[in-house]
Amino acid sequence: MRLLIVDDERPARDRLRRMLALEPGIDAVEEAADALQALACVRTAAPDALLLDIDMPELSGIELAAALPSASSTPAPLVVFVTAHDDYALRAFDAEAVDYLLKPFDQARLRRALERLRVRLSEARRVLPLDAAPRQLLVSERGATRVVAVADIEWLETADNYVALHTAAGAPLLRQTLGALLEQLGQAFVRCHRRAAVRVAAIVRIEPLDKGDSELVLHGGARVPCSRQYRSAVLQALEPVRPG
Protein backbone atom coordinates (compact mmCIF):
# COMPACT_ATOMS: atom_id res chain seq x y z
CA MET A 1 0.00 0.00 0.00
CA ARG A 2 1.37 3.41 -1.06
CA LEU A 3 0.50 6.29 1.26
CA LEU A 4 0.80 10.08 1.13
CA ILE A 5 0.96 12.10 4.37
CA VAL A 6 -0.46 15.61 3.93
CA ASP A 7 0.09 17.94 6.89
CA ASP A 8 1.47 21.48 7.11
CA GLU A 9 3.31 20.68 10.37
CA ARG A 10 6.64 18.84 10.09
CA PRO A 11 6.49 17.23 13.58
CA ALA A 12 3.09 15.72 12.78
CA ARG A 13 4.40 14.27 9.51
CA ASP A 14 7.49 12.86 11.23
CA ARG A 15 5.45 11.19 13.98
CA LEU A 16 3.05 9.59 11.52
CA ARG A 17 5.92 8.36 9.34
CA ARG A 18 7.53 6.70 12.39
CA MET A 19 4.26 5.00 13.28
CA LEU A 20 3.75 3.77 9.71
CA ALA A 21 7.25 2.25 9.75
CA LEU A 22 6.00 -0.17 12.42
CA GLU A 23 3.17 -1.46 10.22
CA PRO A 24 3.50 -4.27 7.64
CA GLY A 25 2.42 -3.95 4.02
CA ILE A 26 3.37 -0.28 3.55
CA ASP A 27 5.28 -0.12 0.26
CA ALA A 28 6.00 3.63 0.16
CA VAL A 29 5.30 6.78 2.16
CA GLU A 30 5.43 10.22 0.53
CA GLU A 31 4.89 13.61 2.20
CA ALA A 32 3.32 16.95 1.26
CA ALA A 33 3.12 20.15 3.30
CA ASP A 34 0.16 21.72 1.46
CA ALA A 35 -2.58 21.04 -1.07
CA LEU A 36 -0.63 21.93 -4.21
CA GLN A 37 2.29 19.70 -3.20
CA ALA A 38 -0.21 16.94 -2.47
CA LEU A 39 -1.84 17.18 -5.91
CA ALA A 40 1.55 17.09 -7.62
CA CYS A 41 2.50 14.01 -5.59
CA VAL A 42 -0.80 12.29 -6.38
CA ARG A 43 -0.06 12.67 -10.09
CA THR A 44 3.56 11.50 -9.89
CA ALA A 45 3.50 8.88 -7.12
CA ALA A 46 -0.08 7.57 -7.52
CA PRO A 47 -0.67 6.79 -3.83
CA ASP A 48 -3.40 4.37 -2.83
CA ALA A 49 -4.51 6.63 0.02
CA LEU A 50 -3.93 9.99 1.72
CA LEU A 51 -3.51 10.52 5.44
CA LEU A 52 -4.85 14.03 5.28
CA ASP A 53 -4.86 16.82 7.83
CA ILE A 54 -8.01 18.96 7.72
CA ASP A 55 -6.98 22.30 9.22
CA MET A 56 -4.37 23.64 6.76
CA PRO A 57 -3.70 27.17 5.47
CA GLU A 58 -5.25 28.34 2.18
CA LEU A 59 -7.11 25.11 1.51
CA SER A 60 -8.63 22.64 3.95
CA GLY A 61 -8.16 18.92 3.72
CA ILE A 62 -11.85 18.49 2.90
CA GLU A 63 -11.54 20.88 -0.06
CA LEU A 64 -8.43 19.03 -1.22
CA ALA A 65 -10.23 15.69 -1.02
CA ALA A 66 -12.95 17.03 -3.34
CA ALA A 67 -10.31 18.10 -5.87
CA LEU A 68 -8.38 14.83 -6.07
CA PRO A 69 -7.83 13.85 -9.71
CA SER A 70 -8.54 10.46 -11.22
CA ALA A 71 -8.19 8.97 -14.68
CA SER A 72 -10.96 7.11 -16.44
CA SER A 73 -9.39 3.75 -15.52
CA THR A 74 -8.11 4.60 -12.03
CA PRO A 75 -10.11 5.86 -9.04
CA ALA A 76 -8.96 8.79 -6.94
CA PRO A 77 -6.92 7.79 -3.87
CA LEU A 78 -8.80 6.97 -0.70
CA VAL A 79 -8.71 9.40 2.23
CA VAL A 80 -8.22 9.03 5.97
CA PHE A 81 -8.57 12.39 7.69
CA VAL A 82 -6.11 13.09 10.50
CA THR A 83 -6.96 16.08 12.70
CA ALA A 84 -6.87 17.50 16.20
CA HIS A 85 -10.45 18.78 15.87
CA ASP A 86 -13.48 16.55 16.38
CA ASP A 87 -15.99 19.04 14.92
CA TYR A 88 -15.12 18.13 11.30
CA ALA A 89 -16.28 14.52 11.55
CA LEU A 90 -19.64 14.88 9.77
CA ARG A 91 -18.12 16.85 6.90
CA ALA A 92 -15.30 14.35 6.64
CA PHE A 93 -17.63 11.40 6.19
CA ASP A 94 -19.77 13.42 3.76
CA ALA A 95 -16.53 13.57 1.74
CA GLU A 96 -16.54 9.74 1.79
CA ALA A 97 -13.53 9.41 4.07
CA VAL A 98 -12.56 5.86 4.98
CA ASP A 99 -11.73 6.87 8.57
CA TYR A 100 -11.24 9.86 10.88
CA LEU A 101 -8.20 9.82 13.14
CA LEU A 102 -8.39 12.25 16.04
CA LYS A 103 -4.98 13.43 17.29
CA PRO A 104 -3.32 12.19 19.39
CA PHE A 105 -4.01 8.59 18.36
CA ASP A 106 -2.06 5.47 19.29
CA GLN A 107 -0.59 2.68 17.18
CA ALA A 108 -3.61 0.43 17.62
CA ARG A 109 -5.98 3.11 16.33
CA LEU A 110 -3.75 3.76 13.32
CA ARG A 111 -3.66 0.02 12.63
CA ARG A 112 -7.48 -0.12 12.52
CA ALA A 113 -7.53 2.75 10.02
CA LEU A 114 -4.98 0.98 7.82
CA GLU A 115 -7.04 -2.21 7.91
CA ARG A 116 -10.11 -0.26 6.78
CA LEU A 117 -8.04 1.15 3.93
CA ARG A 118 -6.97 -2.34 2.86
CA VAL A 119 -10.58 -3.53 2.78
CA ARG A 120 -11.71 -0.53 0.72
CA LEU A 121 -8.77 -0.87 -1.67
CA SER A 122 -9.63 -4.51 -2.23
CA GLU A 123 -13.23 -3.54 -3.04
CA ALA A 124 -12.15 -0.66 -5.30
CA ARG A 125 -9.91 -2.93 -7.35
CA ARG A 126 -12.87 -5.20 -8.03
CA VAL A 127 -15.37 -2.45 -8.87
CA LEU A 128 -14.29 0.89 -10.34
CA PRO A 129 -16.54 3.79 -9.21
CA LEU A 130 -18.66 5.21 -12.00
CA ASP A 131 -18.30 8.84 -10.87
CA ALA A 132 -14.55 9.20 -10.49
CA ALA A 133 -14.11 12.72 -11.85
CA PRO A 134 -13.10 15.52 -9.46
CA ARG A 135 -15.72 18.07 -8.49
CA GLN A 136 -13.18 20.87 -8.06
CA LEU A 137 -9.86 21.94 -9.52
CA LEU A 138 -7.17 23.85 -7.62
CA VAL A 139 -5.42 26.72 -9.41
CA SER A 140 -2.35 28.52 -8.04
CA GLU A 141 -2.62 32.30 -8.46
CA ARG A 142 0.07 34.65 -7.13
CA GLY A 143 0.83 32.50 -4.12
CA ALA A 144 -2.83 31.81 -3.31
CA THR A 145 -4.98 28.81 -4.24
CA ARG A 146 -8.23 29.27 -6.14
CA VAL A 147 -10.92 26.61 -6.08
CA VAL A 148 -12.74 26.22 -9.41
CA ALA A 149 -15.89 24.08 -9.48
CA VAL A 150 -15.82 21.76 -12.49
CA ALA A 151 -19.56 22.39 -12.94
CA ASP A 152 -18.79 26.08 -13.61
CA ILE A 153 -16.40 25.39 -16.51
CA GLU A 154 -17.93 25.79 -19.99
CA TRP A 155 -14.85 25.16 -22.09
CA LEU A 156 -11.11 24.53 -21.94
CA GLU A 157 -8.34 26.11 -24.00
CA THR A 158 -4.62 25.35 -24.14
CA ALA A 159 -2.30 28.24 -23.30
CA ASP A 160 1.36 27.19 -23.62
CA ASN A 161 1.98 24.88 -20.63
CA TYR A 162 -1.41 25.70 -19.09
CA VAL A 163 -5.10 25.15 -19.68
CA ALA A 164 -7.48 28.10 -19.42
CA LEU A 165 -10.64 27.10 -17.51
CA HIS A 166 -13.31 29.29 -19.06
CA THR A 167 -16.11 30.11 -16.59
CA ALA A 168 -18.57 32.96 -16.26
CA ALA A 169 -16.24 34.51 -13.66
CA GLY A 170 -13.07 34.39 -15.77
CA ALA A 171 -10.51 31.97 -17.17
CA PRO A 172 -7.93 30.93 -14.55
CA LEU A 173 -4.89 29.03 -15.78
CA LEU A 174 -4.21 25.49 -14.58
CA ARG A 175 -0.69 24.13 -15.14
CA GLN A 176 -1.50 20.88 -16.93
CA THR A 177 -1.89 19.51 -20.44
CA LEU A 178 -5.32 19.48 -22.03
CA GLY A 179 -5.14 15.74 -22.71
CA ALA A 180 -4.31 14.87 -19.10
CA LEU A 181 -7.07 17.12 -17.79
CA LEU A 182 -9.66 15.57 -20.10
CA GLU A 183 -8.72 12.12 -18.80
CA GLN A 184 -9.54 13.32 -15.29
CA LEU A 185 -12.80 15.05 -16.23
CA GLY A 186 -14.29 12.08 -18.07
CA GLN A 187 -17.24 12.16 -20.48
CA ALA A 188 -18.65 15.51 -19.33
CA PHE A 189 -16.18 17.22 -21.70
CA VAL A 190 -15.35 16.49 -25.33
CA ARG A 191 -12.39 17.66 -27.37
CA CYS A 192 -13.45 19.78 -30.34
CA HIS A 193 -10.10 21.18 -31.51
CA ARG A 194 -6.42 20.44 -30.90
CA ARG A 195 -6.43 23.48 -28.59
CA ALA A 196 -9.93 23.29 -27.10
CA ALA A 197 -12.58 21.15 -25.45
CA VAL A 198 -16.13 21.94 -24.30
CA ARG A 199 -18.59 20.80 -21.66
CA VAL A 200 -21.09 18.70 -23.61
CA ALA A 201 -24.08 20.08 -21.68
CA ALA A 202 -23.02 23.68 -22.51
CA ILE A 203 -23.39 23.28 -26.29
CA VAL A 204 -26.40 25.19 -27.67
CA ARG A 205 -25.81 24.73 -31.40
CA ILE A 206 -23.24 23.84 -34.04
CA GLU A 207 -22.74 26.37 -36.85
CA PRO A 208 -21.00 25.10 -40.01
CA LEU A 209 -17.98 26.89 -41.49
CA ASP A 210 -15.90 26.25 -44.60
CA LYS A 211 -14.09 22.97 -45.38
CA GLY A 212 -16.01 20.90 -42.84
CA ASP A 213 -15.02 22.98 -39.83
CA SER A 214 -17.66 24.42 -37.52
CA GLU A 215 -18.18 26.57 -34.47
CA LEU A 216 -19.82 25.55 -31.19
CA VAL A 217 -22.05 28.14 -29.55
CA LEU A 218 -22.28 27.67 -25.78
CA HIS A 219 -24.87 28.69 -23.20
CA GLY A 220 -22.70 31.54 -21.94
CA GLY A 221 -22.32 32.98 -25.44
CA ALA A 222 -18.80 31.73 -26.14
CA ARG A 223 -18.02 30.53 -29.68
CA VAL A 224 -15.48 27.71 -29.73
CA PRO A 225 -13.85 26.31 -32.90
CA CYS A 226 -14.60 22.72 -33.84
CA SER A 227 -12.22 21.10 -36.35
CA ARG A 228 -13.64 18.65 -38.87
CA GLN A 229 -11.56 15.81 -37.40
CA TYR A 230 -13.29 16.26 -34.02
CA ARG A 231 -16.82 16.87 -35.35
CA SER A 232 -17.88 13.22 -35.20
CA ALA A 233 -16.69 12.94 -31.58
CA VAL A 234 -18.73 16.01 -30.66
CA LEU A 235 -21.83 14.65 -32.38
CA GLN A 236 -21.39 11.29 -30.69
CA ALA A 237 -21.08 12.98 -27.27
CA LEU A 238 -24.30 14.91 -27.95
CA GLU A 239 -26.26 11.88 -29.16
CA PRO A 240 -27.45 10.65 -25.69
CA VAL A 241 -28.96 14.06 -24.88
CA ARG A 242 -30.73 14.64 -28.22
CA PRO A 243 -34.53 14.49 -28.04
CA GLY A 244 -36.42 11.62 -29.57
Side-chain angles (χ1 to χ4, degrees), residues 52-229:
L52 179 57
D53 187 22
I54 291 180
D55 189 13
M56 296 189 297
E58 292 189 9
L59 201 74
S60 74
I62 291 174
E63 290 171 318
L64 171 59
L68 288 174
S70 61
S72 57
S73 59
T74 307
L78 301 175
V79 172
V80 169
F81 285 111
V82 183
T83 180
H85 306 282
D86 60 3
D87 51 345
Y88 289 112
L90 289 177
R91 292 180 61 195
F93 286 109
D94 282 343
E96 300 183 353
V98 174
D99 207 340
Y100 187 92
L101 290 177
L102 189 62
K103 300 177 183 177
F105 49 87
D106 59 15
Q107 194 74 32
R109 181 64 183 88
L110 174 62
R111 189 170 297 124
R112 290 200 300 274
L114 294 175
E115 184 56 35
R116 289 174 181 174
L117 278 176
R118 291 188 180 96
V119 171
R120 284 284 296 274
L121 283 170
S122 177
E123 294 171 350
R125 286 163 182 160
R126 290 196 300 267
V127 181
L128 183 68
L130 296 176
D131 184 15
R135 297 186 297 274
Q136 299 174 153
L137 298 175
L138 306 183
V139 179
S140 179
E141 292 183 333
R142 299 181 181 88
T145 301
R146 177 174 176 178
V147 180
V148 180
V150 172
D152 292 340
I153 302 171
E154 281 210 328
W155 67 289
L156 307 166
E157 180 183 21
T158 59
D160 295 327
N161 295 323
Y162 294 82
V163 177
L165 312 176
H166 288 273
T167 72
L173 296 175
L174 177 68
R175 189 174 180 85
Q176 194 170 16
T177 66
L178 179 58
L181 181 57
L182 288 174
E183 281 191 5
Q184 295 173 29
L185 297 178
Q187 297 180 353
F189 288 80
V190 62
R191 194 158 194 160
C192 59
H193 189 274
R194 65 182 181 85
R195 296 180 55 86
V198 296
R199 173 181 288 281
V200 176
I203 300 173
V204 174
R205 63 182 183 274
I206 303 174
E207 296 186 352
L209 300 175
D210 295 335
K211 300 180 180 179
D213 293 337
S214 52
E215 199 170 52
L216 307 179
V217 181
L218 308 185
H219 282 296
R223 306 178 75 89
V224 182
C226 179
S227 301
R228 60 184 180 276
Q229 59 262 46

